[in-house]
Amino acid sequence: MLQPGFFDLKDRYNKLNERDPLVSLNALIDWENFRATLNEVRQNPRKSQAGRKPFDVVLMFKVLVLQHLYNLSDDETEYQIRDRYSFCRFLNLTPEDRIPDAKTIWLYREQLVLRDLMKGLFNDFDDQLNDKGYKAQKGQMVDASFVDVPKQRNKREENQQIKSGEIPERFENNPNVGRQKDTDARWTKKNEETHFGYKNHVTVDNAHKLIRDYKVTSAEVHDSQVFIEILAENTSADVWADSAYQSENNEISLAAMNMRSHVHKKGKKNKPLSERSKKANTRRSKVRARVEHVFGSITNEQGGLYSRVIGFARNQLKIGMMNIVYNMRRFMTLSRKSVPAI
């Protein structure tokens, strides 16, 4: 049986170039820029030089990017790297190279969780975006979206204990049960819809529709509670948000920060909005609605605002990866638009 030669592989890669978005992703992003932050997972020196060397930290980070681009589990990621030439090339691996298995991927992600590195990696990429000419401009839009997790089937008294910050006795006495219970996620209700999980609070710049900062909370935290905290640097002082963010304290805080509020007004029980306020809200909506495109893109292109991992720390990483991968995809789109026609 004939073995594939170098030129056979090169010819196959050339054919892939026509439709493979990973080629652009590899070319546009400076992956080495993440190394300083990622090296923290290798802080503890190896006890022995025996055995296989660990995989490169940047390669493993790119594996996580692939997972979130294509909404893959650890086992499916291992299989797809073995199966796809495009994945191997993105990771700079040949079909003969050793590849990370599902357990290795899980352990690497746990190291990122343990050292709380996700926000640092997000900021590393934001610095890249600024250096490439995509500074935050024309104001910012703030919004939040639920990230649902598998619903828990607990007893009523157990839910009450979890809500008060206690761990139910059944979870502690049976580790197999406890490991499957997310005691950090919370229930909440909005517009007759019930959600269980977390919230992804983001601020998006109006010029490029890139996420500039974010914060993860449990689902019951009201949008307005982290409004001021996630506001990012921008060349414009304009801030857009829906009526959930409307409060006297937020307006005072925005004024103190020399920011211009375009937060939607909301009527009160005995004081409905005037026609002038309604028209002003309509004008604000034309800008503010752009932030919905971000969550729509994550839902449609990255598998949705849903998570199967358990616990706040792991979901903080999961949601952070959703956000950084969205920015990478958006960066590719912006780069294509900025290329002059020949």
Side-chain angles (χ1 to χ4, degrees), residues 57-91:
V57 291
V58 176
L59 180 148
M60 292 302 301
F61 177 61
K62 291 173 77 174
V63 169
L64 298 190
V65 170
L66 284 175
Q67 278 196 306
H68 286 80
L69 273 171
Y70 295 98
N71 191 29
L72 303 173
S73 67
D74 292 344
D75 288 313
E76 186 67 18
T77 302
E78 177 189 348
Y79 171 76
Q80 293 295 345
I81 294 171
R82 292 184 187 279
D83 187 60
R84 291 194 187 190
Y85 280 90
S86 58
F87 278 27
C88 283
R89 180 170 59 174
F90 178 68
L91 300 173

Coordinates of all heavy atoms in Angstrom, one line a residue, residues 57-91:
V57 N 1.9 24.8 25.7 CA 0.7 25.5 26.3 C -0.1 26.2 25.2 O -1.3 26.3 25.3 CB 1.2 26.4 27.4 CG1 1.7 25.7 28.6 CG2 2.2 27.4 27.0
V58 N 0.6 26.8 24.2 CA -0.1 27.5 23.2 C -0.9 26.6 22.3 O -2.0 26.8 21.9 CB 0.9 28.4 22.3 CG1 0.1 29.0 21.2 CG2 1.6 29.4 23.2
L59 N -0.3 25.4 22.0 CA -1.0 24.4 21.2 C -2.3 24.0 22.0 O -3.4 23.9 21.4 CB -0.1 23.2 21.0 CG -0.7 22.0 20.2 CD1 0.4 21.3 19.4 CD2 -1.4 21.0 21.1
M60 N -2.2 23.8 23.3 CA -3.4 23.4 24.0 C -4.4 24.5 24.1 O -5.6 24.2 24.0 CB -2.9 23.0 25.5 CG -2.1 21.7 25.5 SD -2.9 20.3 24.8 CE -4.4 20.1 25.8
F61 N -4.0 25.7 24.1 CA -5.0 26.8 24.1 C -5.7 26.8 22.8 O -6.9 27.0 22.7 CB -4.3 28.1 24.4 CG -5.2 29.3 24.3 CD1 -6.2 29.5 25.1 CD2 -4.9 30.3 23.3 CE1 -7.1 30.6 25.0 CE2 -5.8 31.4 23.2 CZ -6.8 31.6 24.1
K62 N -5.0 26.6 21.7 CA -5.6 26.5 20.4 C -6.6 25.4 20.3 O -7.6 25.4 19.6 CB -4.5 26.4 19.3 CG -3.7 27.7 19.1 CD -2.5 27.5 18.2 CE -3.0 27.6 16.7 NZ -1.8 27.5 15.8
V63 N -6.3 24.3 21.0 CA -7.3 23.2 21.1 C -8.6 23.6 21.7 O -9.7 23.3 21.2 CB -6.7 22.0 21.9 CG1 -7.8 20.9 22.2 CG2 -5.5 21.3 21.1
L64 N -8.5 24.4 22.7 CA -9.7 25.0 23.4 C -10.5 25.9 22.4 O -11.7 26.0 22.4 CB -9.4 25.7 24.7 CG -8.7 24.9 25.8 CD1 -8.7 25.7 27.1 CD2 -9.5 23.6 26.0
V65 N -9.7 26.7 21.6 CA -10.3 27.6 20.6 C -11.1 26.7 19.6 O -12.2 27.1 19.3 CB -9.3 28.4 19.9 CG1 -9.9 29.2 18.7 CG2 -8.7 29.4 20.9
L66 N -10.5 25.6 19.2 CA -11.2 24.7 18.2 C -12.5 24.2 18.9 O -13.6 24.1 18.2 CB -10.3 23.5 17.9 CG -9.2 23.8 16.9 CD1 -8.3 22.5 16.7 CD2 -9.8 24.2 15.5
Q67 N -12.4 23.8 20.1 CA -13.6 23.3 20.8 C -14.8 24.3 20.8 O -15.9 24.0 20.5 CB -13.3 23.0 22.3 CG -12.6 21.7 22.5 CD -12.7 21.4 24.0 OE1 -12.3 22.1 24.9 NE2 -13.2 20.2 24.3
H68 N -14.5 25.6 21.0 CA -15.5 26.6 21.1 C -15.9 27.1 19.7 O -17.0 27.6 19.6 CB -15.1 27.7 22.0 CG -15.1 27.3 23.5 ND1 -14.1 26.6 24.1 CD2 -16.1 27.6 24.4 CE1 -14.4 26.4 25.3 NE2 -15.6 26.9 25.6
L69 N -15.0 27.0 18.7 CA -15.4 27.3 17.4 C -16.5 26.4 16.8 O -17.4 26.7 16.1 CB -14.2 27.3 16.5 CG -13.4 28.6 16.4 CD1 -12.1 28.3 15.6 CD2 -14.2 29.7 15.7
Y70 N -16.3 25.1 17.2 CA -17.1 24.0 16.6 C -18.0 23.3 17.6 O -18.6 22.3 17.3 CB -16.2 23.0 15.9 CG -15.5 23.6 14.7 CD1 -14.1 24.1 14.8 CD2 -16.1 23.8 13.5 CE1 -13.4 24.6 13.8 CE2 -15.4 24.4 12.4 CZ -14.1 24.8 12.6 OH -13.4 25.4 11.5
N71 N -18.0 23.8 18.8 CA -18.9 23.3 19.9 C -18.7 21.8 20.1 O -19.6 20.9 19.9 CB -20.4 23.5 19.5 CG -21.3 23.2 20.6 OD1 -20.9 23.4 21.8 ND2 -22.5 22.8 20.3
L72 N -17.4 21.4 20.4 CA -17.0 20.0 20.6 C -16.8 19.6 22.0 O -16.3 20.4 22.8 CB -15.8 19.7 19.8 CG -15.8 20.1 18.3 CD1 -14.4 19.9 17.7 CD2 -16.8 19.2 17.5
S73 N -17.1 18.4 22.4 CA -16.7 17.8 23.7 C -15.3 17.5 23.6 O -14.6 17.5 22.6 CB -17.6 16.6 24.0 OG -17.2 15.6 23.0
D74 N -14.7 17.1 24.8 CA -13.3 16.7 24.8 C -13.1 15.5 23.9 O -12.1 15.4 23.2 CB -12.9 16.4 26.3 CG -12.8 17.7 27.1 OD1 -12.8 18.8 26.5 OD2 -12.8 17.6 28.4
D75 N -13.9 14.5 24.1 CA -13.8 13.2 23.3 C -13.9 13.5 21.8 O -13.1 13.0 21.0 CB -14.8 12.2 23.7 CG -14.5 11.6 25.1 OD1 -13.3 11.2 25.3 OD2 -15.4 11.5 25.9
E76 N -14.9 14.4 21.4 CA -15.1 14.7 20.0 C -13.9 15.5 19.5 O -13.5 15.4 18.3 CB -16.4 15.4 19.8 CG -16.7 15.7 18.4 CD -17.1 14.5 17.6 OE1 -17.3 13.4 18.2 OE2 -17.1 14.5 16.4
T77 N -13.3 16.4 20.3 CA -12.2 17.2 19.9 C -11.0 16.3 19.6 O -10.3 16.4 18.6 CB -11.8 18.2 21.0 OG1 -12.9 19.0 21.3 CG2 -10.6 19.0 20.6
E78 N -10.7 15.3 20.5 CA -9.6 14.3 20.2 C -9.9 13.6 18.9 O -8.9 13.5 18.0 CB -9.6 13.3 21.3 CG -8.5 12.2 21.1 CD -8.6 11.1 22.1 OE1 -9.3 11.2 23.1 OE2 -7.9 10.1 21.8
Y79 N -11.1 13.2 18.6 CA -11.4 12.4 17.4 C -11.2 13.3 16.2 O -10.6 12.9 15.2 CB -12.8 11.9 17.4 CG -13.3 11.3 16.1 CD1 -12.8 10.1 15.7 CD2 -14.1 12.1 15.3 CE1 -13.2 9.6 14.4 CE2 -14.5 11.6 14.0 CZ -14.0 10.4 13.6 OH -14.4 9.9 12.4
Q80 N -11.7 14.6 16.3 CA -11.6 15.5 15.1 C -10.2 15.9 14.8 O -9.8 16.1 13.6 CB -12.5 16.7 15.3 CG -14.0 16.4 15.4 CD -14.6 15.9 14.1 OE1 -13.9 16.0 13.0 NE2 -15.8 15.4 14.2
I81 N -9.3 16.0 15.8 CA -7.9 16.3 15.5 C -7.3 15.2 14.8 O -6.5 15.4 13.9 CB -7.2 16.7 16.8 CG1 -7.7 18.0 17.5 CG2 -5.7 16.8 16.6 CD1 -7.2 18.2 18.9
R82 N -7.6 13.9 15.2 CA -7.1 12.8 14.5 C -7.6 12.7 13.1 O -6.9 12.2 12.2 CB -7.5 11.5 15.3 CG -6.9 11.3 16.6 CD -7.2 10.0 17.2 NE -6.8 9.9 18.6 CZ -5.5 9.6 19.0 NH1 -4.6 9.3 18.0 NH2 -5.2 9.5 20.2
D83 N -8.8 13.1 12.9 CA -9.5 12.9 11.6 C -9.3 14.0 10.6 O -9.3 13.8 9.4 CB -11.0 12.7 11.9 CG -11.8 12.3 10.6 OD1 -11.4 11.2 10.1 OD2 -12.7 13.0 10.2
R84 N -9.2 15.2 11.1 CA -9.2 16.4 10.1 C -7.8 16.9 9.8 O -7.1 17.3 10.8 CB -10.0 17.5 10.7 CG -11.5 17.3 10.8 CD -12.3 18.6 11.1 NE -13.7 18.4 11.3 CZ -14.5 19.4 11.4 NH1 -14.1 20.6 11.2 NH2 -15.8 19.1 11.6
Y85 N -7.5 17.0 8.6 CA -6.2 17.7 8.2 C -6.2 19.1 8.6 O -5.2 19.7 9.0 CB -6.1 17.6 6.6 CG -5.5 16.2 6.2 CD1 -6.4 15.2 5.8 CD2 -4.2 16.0 6.0 CE1 -5.9 14.0 5.4 CE2 -3.7 14.8 5.6 CZ -4.6 13.8 5.3 OH -4.1 12.6 4.8
S86 N -7.4 19.8 8.5 CA -7.5 21.2 8.8 C -7.2 21.5 10.2 O -6.5 22.5 10.6 CB -8.8 21.8 8.4 OG -9.9 21.1 9.1
F87 N -7.6 20.6 11.1 CA -7.3 20.8 12.6 C -5.9 20.6 12.8 O -5.3 21.3 13.6 CB -8.2 19.8 13.4 CG -9.6 20.3 13.7 CD1 -10.2 21.1 12.8 CD2 -10.3 19.8 14.8 CE1 -11.5 21.5 13.0 CE2 -11.6 20.2 15.0 CZ -12.2 21.1 14.1
C88 N -5.3 19.5 12.2 CA -3.9 19.2 12.4 C -3.0 20.4 12.0 O -2.1 20.8 12.6 CB -3.5 18.0 11.6 SG -4.0 16.5 12.4
R89 N -3.4 21.0 10.8 CA -2.6 22.1 10.3 C -2.7 23.3 11.2 O -1.8 24.0 11.5 CB -3.0 22.5 8.9 CG -2.3 23.6 8.3 CD -2.5 23.8 6.8 NE -3.9 24.1 6.6 CZ -4.4 24.4 5.4 NH1 -3.6 24.5 4.4 NH2 -5.7 24.6 5.2
F90 N -3.9 23.6 11.7 CA -4.1 24.7 12.6 C -3.3 24.6 13.9 O -2.8 25.5 14.4 CB -5.6 24.7 13.0 CG -6.0 25.8 14.0 CD1 -5.9 27.2 13.6 CD2 -6.4 25.5 15.3 CE1 -6.3 28.2 14.5 CE2 -6.7 26.5 16.2 CZ -6.7 27.9 15.8
L91 N -3.1 23.3 14.3 CA -2.3 23.1 15.5 C -0.8 22.8 15.2 O 0.0 22.5 16.1 CB -2.8 21.9 16.3 CG -4.3 22.0 16.8 CD1 -4.8 20.7 17.3 CD2 -4.4 23.1 17.8

